[in-house]
């Protein structure tokens, strides 16, 4: 425990410049960060309501399950895709990897080990970066299960080297039935996209 400077806590005055107690550090300007190996995982969630089609032949159709679960139907006949943009949060731990997981459901029961190949193409940009720079593509194959039953892909890892808070992550989520691993003959319903990141502070290092 390290204590310097001055603060009032529960009516008692404490002198402190920095306060480091049990994995939390309070700097003299009030910024709270996690110290040592303390980390917190957080998630950004994009539902079908937050994702956008592009007005092209690659647009999936909307499919509603039980009148209230909105999904995108990715056919097995051509590459379908939707796009999204996420700001890297101000509490993100700079340089740490991002993990992306897709939640989806198959149209029909899978009678064997047929798989759907999901992919993400993405770019991460900071102020002044060229938005047309080369992007990175990652894919994951997931075995289809029971009709309209929720499934979760394995994590797709985005390398966090050089990534900082306030960067912008632009991405598209696609199904590629031309990939030899994609052997599922029916639609795949994309329900949501989850972006998990590591946080090492409470809020951002800024003053309003």
């Amino acid at each position: 425990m390290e204590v310097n400077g001055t603060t009032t806590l529960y009516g008692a005055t404490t002198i402190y410049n920095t306060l480091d107690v049990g994995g939390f550090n309070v700097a003299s300007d009030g910024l709270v960060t996690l110290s040592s190996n303390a980390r917190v995982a957080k998630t950004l969630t994009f539902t079908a309501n937050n994702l956008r089609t592009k007005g092209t032949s690659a647009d999936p159709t909307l499919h509603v399950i039980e009148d209230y679960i909105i999904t995108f139907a990715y056919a097995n006949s051509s590459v379908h895709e939707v796009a999204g943009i996420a700001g890297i949060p101000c509490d993100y731990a700079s340089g740490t990897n991002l993990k992306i997981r897709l939640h989806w459901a198959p149209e029909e029961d899978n009678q064997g080990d047929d798989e759907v190949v999901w992919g993400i193409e993405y770019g991460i940009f900071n102020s002044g970066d060229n938005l047309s720079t080369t992007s990175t593509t990652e894919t994951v194959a997931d075995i289809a299960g029971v009709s309209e039953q929720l499934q979760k892909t394995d994590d797709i890892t985005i390398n966090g080297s050089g990534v900082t808070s306030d960067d912008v992550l632009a991405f598209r989520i696609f199904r590629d039935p031309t990939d030899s691993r994609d052997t599922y003959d029916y639609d795949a319903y994309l329900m949501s996209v989850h972006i998990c990141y590591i946080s090492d502070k409470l809020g951002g290092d800024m003053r309003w």
Side-chain angles (χ1 to χ4, degrees), residues 24-67:
F24 287 90
N25 179 276
V26 183
S28 58
D29 65 357
L31 177 67
V32 180
T33 59
L34 303 181
S35 58
S36 302
N37 292 322
R39 293 291 183 272
V40 175
K42 297 185 177 182
T43 302
L44 304 174
T45 300
F46 290 79
T47 66
N49 295 321
N50 309 123
L51 300 168
R52 293 291 181 265
T53 57
K54 301 189 294 183
T56 70
S57 60
D59 290 351
T61 59
L62 282 178
H63 176 75
V64 181
I65 300 173
E66 292 298 324
D67 295 329

Side-chain angles (χ1 to χ4, degrees), residues 41-42 88 92-100 122 124 156-163 195-199:
K42 297 185 177 182
I88 302 299
Y92 164 73
S94 296
T96 56
N97 291 345
L98 303 169
K99 303 283 188 178
I100 294 182
Y122 67 91
I124 300 178
I156 300 174
T157 299
I158 292 181
N159 190 327
S161 178
V163 179
I195 304 174
C196 184
Y197 69 96
I198 297 298
S199 171

Side-chain angles (χ1 to χ4, degrees), residues 4-185:
N4 297 295
T6 303
T7 192
T8 300
L9 184 63
Y10 297 115
T13 299
T14 303
I15 307 300
Y16 79 98
N17 288 321
T18 62
L19 174 64
D20 192 345
V21 182
F24 287 90
N25 179 276
V26 183
S28 58
D29 65 357
L31 177 67
V32 180
T33 59
L34 303 181
S35 58
S36 302
N37 292 322
R39 293 291 183 272
V40 175
K42 297 185 177 182
T43 302
L44 304 174
T45 300
F46 290 79
T47 66
N49 295 321
N50 309 123
L51 300 168
R52 293 291 181 265
T53 57
K54 301 189 294 183
T56 70
S57 60
D59 290 351
T61 59
L62 282 178
H63 176 75
V64 181
I65 300 173
E66 292 298 324
D67 295 329
Y68 63 92
I69 301 174
I70 300 173
T71 72
F72 284 112
Y74 283 66
N76 72 320
S77 55
S78 61
V79 177
H80 282 159
E81 60 188 25
V82 294
I85 296 176
I88 302 299
C90 58
D91 59 352
Y92 164 73
S94 296
T96 56
N97 291 345
L98 303 169
K99 303 283 188 178
I100 294 182
R101 178 172 291 183
L102 309 181
H103 291 190
W104 70 286
E107 177 186 12
E108 299 289 346
D109 290 356
N110 185 6
Q111 302 303 319
D113 293 328
D114 291 332
E115 293 184 315
V116 171
V117 174
W118 294 101
I120 177 171
E121 180 183 13
Y122 67 91
I124 300 178
F125 309 97
N126 206 325
S127 179
D129 287 346
N130 187 342
L131 297 177
S132 62
T133 54
T134 302
S135 58
T136 302
T137 301
E138 303 286 351
T139 60
V140 60
D142 198 30
I143 295 178
V146 177
S147 173
E148 296 191 345
Q149 184 178 87
L150 178 64
Q151 297 193 197
K152 303 175 183 180
T153 68
D154 291 336
D155 289 337
I156 300 174
T157 299
I158 292 181
N159 190 327
S161 178
V163 179
T164 62
S165 62
D166 207 35
D167 284 354
V168 172
L169 169 66
F171 62 90
R172 72 179 181 99
I173 303 295
F174 62 93
R175 176 189 179 183
D176 186 2
T178 66
D179 188 305
S180 60
R181 295 173 297 167
D182 193 312
T183 54
Y184 183 63
D185 291 334

